[in-house]
Amino acid sequence: MSKVLAIVPAYNEEGSLLATINELVSVAPEVDYVIVNDGSRDGTLKLCQDNGFNYVSHPTNLGLTGGVQTGMKYALRHGYDMAIQFDADGQHDPAYIASLVADMESASADIVVGSRFVTEEKPKSLRMLGSNLISGMIKLTTGKRIMDPTSGMRLYNARAIKLFATEDWLSPEPDTLAFLIRRGFKVDEVQVSMRERSAGESYLNLSRSISYMANTCMSILFSQWFRS
């Protein structure tokens, strides 16, 4: 069986982390995990220590990219075959990990996205309008349609793990998916359902969401083409 690691970036997630890890261990006991405490200012670090969780800790907040890269370095160092990005806030259901792993193995994919919209239609909202725009930009530049480009539930194989662990500029964002597709990485999608976060609040408010969409589209259309 493939050796799978769940990378759980955590910044100020003391309200949800305990339930998230307990569910992960209960539902997917064959999957190892590492929590990346990303310079949290609340009780996240103490919660990890008190419960004997497997974790690494940043002295300061590096953001999602830094958290995922640290997890990828851990996965590479410990010889994992696959690594899945898994939210600490309770939105991701560990019951779907097996489906993503099975798809990666059967389709020989480098990255498998846990997608909300393979068989389900996108709701009509400004957020989904932005998702459609990003999907269109990826399709335009790669020829590949990604139905849920902003999904944070992604499974990576050993080839992708090594790249993320050694290329510090790579981020777990939609523009990186576009870049990797152009580099010959095979990206697949598997239908999943996601839940509302169980505690805390999202980083993305309206103004940040608009900025995020604009920066992502600019990167897909222009900036990524200057990467080797």
Side-chain angles (χ1 to χ4, degrees), residues 84-125:
I84 185 165
Q85 183 182 333
F86 197 82
D87 283 358
D89 59 17
Q91 293 189 81
H92 295 167
D93 186 340
Y96 290 108
I97 295 177
S99 298
L100 271 67
V101 170
D103 185 80
M104 177 167 282
E105 292 175 338
S106 64
S108 298
D110 296 296
I111 301 171
V112 179
V113 179
S115 172
R116 295 161 287 183
F117 310 119
V118 175
T119 59
E120 301 289 332
E121 290 189 7
K122 289 184 180 180
K124 292 178 172 58
S125 67

Side-chain angles (χ1 to χ4, degrees), residues 19-141:
T20 295
I21 297 302
N22 285 343
E23 182 186 34
L24 177 62
V25 171
S26 174
V27 174
E30 72 283 359
V31 176
D32 295 338
Y33 73 87
V34 62
I35 299 164
V36 182
N37 171 44
D38 191 25
S40 297
R41 295 173 294 174
D42 65 355
T44 296
L45 176 58
K46 187 174 188 303
L47 186 149
C48 291
Q49 295 169 336
D50 290 348
N51 288 276
F53 289 158
N54 184 41
Y55 75 94
V56 295
S57 198
H58 294 160
T60 59
N61 178 245
L62 300 181
L64 179 62
T65 295
V68 171
Q69 287 174 346
T70 293
M72 292 294 193
K73 292 177 187 294
Y74 182 100
L76 181 63
R77 187 178 306 118
H78 291 85
Y80 283 92
D81 303 303
M82 303 177 187
I84 185 165
Q85 183 182 333
F86 197 82
D87 283 358
D89 59 17
Q91 293 189 81
H92 295 167
D93 186 340
Y96 290 108
I97 295 177
S99 298
L100 271 67
V101 170
D103 185 80
M104 177 167 282
E105 292 175 338
S106 64
S108 298
D110 296 296
I111 301 171
V112 179
V113 179
S115 172
R116 295 161 287 183
F117 310 119
V118 175
T119 59
E120 301 289 332
E121 290 189 7
K122 289 184 180 180
K124 292 178 172 58
S125 67
L126 285 176
R127 185 173 183 180
M128 290 302 105
L129 179 63
S131 176
N132 284 333
L133 179 61
I134 293 173
S135 290
M137 296 298 100
I138 295 175
K139 172 69 173 177
L140 177 67
T141 56

